[in-house]
Amino acid sequence: MQKLIIEGGNKLSGTIKVSGSKNASLPILAATLLADGKSVLTNVPDLSDMRTMVKILRELGVDIEKRGPGELACKVTTIEPSCASYELVSQMRASICVLGPLVARRGYAKVSLPGGCVIGLRPVDLHLKGLRALGAEIEMKHGYIEARSNGRLRGAHIYLGGVNGPSVLATANTLMAACLADGKTVIDGAACEPEIANLSNYLVAMGATIEGIGTPRIQITGVPSLKGANHEVIADRIEAGTFMVAAALAGEDVKVEGARLEHLSAFIDVLQQTGYIIDQDEDGLVRVIKDRPVTSVQATTMPYPGFPTDLQAQLVTLLTLADGMSVITERIFPDRFMHLAELSRLGANVQKIHSSAVIKGVKQLTGAQVMASDLRAGAALVLAGMVAQGTTEVHRIYHIDRGYEQIEEKLRGIGAQITRADA
Ligand code: UD1
């Protein structure tokens, strides 16, 4: 296992570049299962989650060739029934998004149930609801989901909203399966995340007919087959937001390159309320400029275009040093607060009350040994370490490597003092 060692207190300046989106790449890679012929995907980040997805797809009979930085050529070589095993699926929940493409294309899918994780229970009922509505027969046996379809799936009208709002990957699964179903499908209560729109655009390039892309009502007219297509993955809005928090915390003149600000409205609104100006120049470089002393804020995570749950932990780090008391409420994953205990080891004054973090700003954080509990919690601890006085060691960084490409090289490039070592 490895750790990151961070000497806090360096002022940051320079340009830091955003990679392709992890959460867009994962379902887009799964969608290659649907195509006849070769797809070439570009701007795919080099992350451990992506390597897990590539392993799963290879096991399922997709030939994947890495052609250069961020470029993958993918071609299905078999449509025999096959199984996505527990060994791989348990490493990454997002592997469940092979379920829809497999049952739609091969008439059979066997995918391990992903299991729980530290951010909460993470049920799969909406994935199953969407596929059942399309006519798939689904059984749960021995920890596996088995889905069958007798011939093509059938288009249907489906309401996919859940108790905590829409589901991103259940929308992806149902959408992908509906593209090959017989007839028209309407998904109401669909997730509107830019990653779903990016997936939809890839499916359209493959020959799918989709209306309402990026809206809560997606209408799909099924086609008998799809062909391979070239497609570029969008920039990672969560990585962009993480770098913007770094700029806010310790930046003198940090420029974030490649951020799509139109995907970050709610996050930008919160940064502005705390006292920052967000500026984008004609070259697209984004600066986060302190306008006044940073003050507390109230925010609630919500489905897109609301404040993203994947930036909640990083925001909490920023607010540990803000003047006053902030309250950040989780509406997507009510238990996603494992980072609070670790931030308090760095001297933050934070408490969890029901599904909210209550943060009272302190003057200074101090370095300590801490542990990443999940991907974004890990990023929040790295950010905190960069402004803490003294040395911070972040352990279990395999979580961080799931979603941040070369994090220490990128942060060193803007002046952070951060190194990787064996723990
Ligand atoms: C995706 C993102 C993840 C992000 C999350 C919420 C990927 C690879 N991951 O995960 O980074 O944090 O969206 O924006 O894109 N739910 C159900 N039943 C289901 C499925 C989900 O009740 O069948 C609930 C979840 O428990 C949660 C809410 O719906 O409360 C949203 O989760 P969901 O959008 O499904 O998360 P993922 O798609 O797994």
Side-chain angles (χ1 to χ4, degrees):
M1 279 215 263
Q2 294 188 309
K3 61 184 176 184
L4 289 173
I5 305 168
I6 307 161
E7 293 301 328
N10 278 20
K11 281 287 167 203
L12 309 178
S13 66
T15 304
I16 187 162
K17 198 167 172 220
V18 179
S19 298
S21 161
K22 168 180 93 71
N23 286 355
S25 300
L26 290 169
I28 286 170
L29 268 168
T32 63
L33 284 163
L34 293 166
D36 291 326
K38 188 174 282 183
S39 287
V40 178
L41 306 177
T42 50
N43 205 29
V44 180
D46 186 13
L47 301 167
S48 66
D49 266 11
M50 231 48 66
R51 290 187 281 276
T52 304
M53 186 53 113
V54 165
K55 270 191 210 158
I56 291 173
L57 290 175
R58 283 187 173 138
E59 272 194 10
L60 295 173
V62 186
D63 182 44
I64 302 182
E65 180 199 342
K66 190 164 168 37
R67 288 188 163 174
E71 188 169 321
L72 297 177
C74 312
K75 189 169 181 300
V76 171
T77 58
T78 173
I79 54 164
E80 288 300 306
S82 37
C83 168
S85 64
Y86 176 72
E87 196 209 344
L88 289 172
V89 174
S90 60
Q91 288 175 28
M92 181 183 72
R93 287 191 49 84
S95 31
I96 192 165
C97 61
V98 299
L99 187 65
L102 282 178
V103 69
R105 179 92 195 275
R106 303 186 184 185
Y108 177 78
K110 184 174 177 188
V111 178
S112 169
L113 267 167
C117 71
V118 292
I119 70 174
L121 265 177
R122 319 250 346 225
V124 295
D125 55 308
L126 296 173
H127 297 253
L128 307 188
K129 180 180 179 183
L131 296 176
R132 280 192 174 120
L134 294 173
E137 278 175 27
I138 300 183
E139 278 182 296
M140 316 285 262
K141 272 201 265 173
H142 310 300
Y144 278 81
I145 307 167
E146 272 191 75
R148 282 187 178 79
S149 157
N150 193 1
R152 278 175 78 185
L153 295 170
R154 290 180 310 277
H157 195 130
I158 308 163
Y159 176 69
L160 212 52
V163 285
N164 291 329
S167 159
V168 176
L169 290 179
T171 300
N173 250 329
T174 311
L175 165 66
M176 289 188 279
C179 287
L180 287 184
D182 190 14
K184 189 162 177 170
T185 297
V186 178
I187 306 175
D188 270 325
C192 303
E193 268 68 4
E195 293 77 19
I196 294 294
N198 197 219
L199 166 68
S200 303
N201 289 330
Y202 172 49
L203 293 166
V204 168
M206 291 160 84
T209 307
I210 306 173
E211 288 168 64
I213 291 175
T215 75
R217 169 174 279 202
I218 306 178
Q219 302 189 60
I220 305 118
T221 307
V223 291
S225 66
L226 294 167
K227 58 186 186 326
N230 297 347
H231 181 72
E232 183 176 344
V233 172
I234 50 168
D236 196 310
R237 65 192 165 103
I238 306 302
E239 191 196 29
T242 305
F243 295 158
M244 287 167 72
V245 173
L249 277 168
E252 257 172 358
D253 185 23
V254 172
K255 294 165 282 271
V256 182
E257 184 185 342
R260 296 270 300 261
L261 291 190
E262 72 273 26
H263 294 160
L264 284 162
S265 312
F267 171 71
I268 288 170
D269 185 55
V270 168
L271 282 187
Q272 286 167 338
Q273 287 180 51
T274 59
Y276 293 95
I277 295 170
I278 315 301
D279 175 70
Q280 188 165 31
D281 68 17
E282 61 279 9
D283 296 324
L285 298 175
V286 173
R287 288 178 174 81
V288 181
I289 302 152
K290 195 185 262 186
D291 190 31
R292 56 174 167 81
V294 181
T295 49
S296 57
V297 75
Q298 306 229 349
T300 301
T301 65
M302 299 216 200
Y304 188 84
F307 191 95
T309 174
D310 286 351
L311 284 171
Q312 179 258 110
Q314 300 89 319
L315 176 67
V316 169
T317 294
L318 180 69
L319 297 172
T320 60
L321 295 168
D323 205 14
M325 179 103 76
S326 299
V327 180
I328 308 299
T329 301
E330 255 298 339
R331 287 265 169 81
I332 310 287
F333 296 115
D335 293 323
R336 190 178 200 174
F337 287 113
M338 299 290 281
H339 43 287
L340 299 187
E342 299 302 297
L343 285 170
S344 64
R345 291 179 55 75
L346 298 172
N349 186 341
V350 283
Q351 272 185 71
K352 177 179 179 298
I353 299 182
H354 303 298
S355 54
S356 297
V358 179
I359 308 133
K360 191 162 183 298
V362 295
K363 290 271 170 282
Q364 176 76 62
L365 299 177
T366 50
Q369 307 239 9
V370 287
M371 204 178 276
S373 55
D374 71 69
L375 165 55
R376 308 302 171 186
L381 295 173
V382 171
L383 292 169
M386 286 177 359
V387 282
Q389 191 182 56
T391 310
T392 296
E393 291 193 1
V394 183
H395 293 261
R396 300 206 178 165
I397 57 167
Y398 58 87
H399 288 296
I400 300 174
D401 292 333
R402 289 185 42 214
Y404 290 91
E405 193 174 42
Q406 301 173 333
I407 188 159
E408 72 274 27
E409 275 110 284
K410 285 195 184 189
L411 292 174
R412 267 204 303 269
I414 54 169
Q417 212 177 321
I418 169 167
T419 49
R420 181 181 289 257
D422 288 328

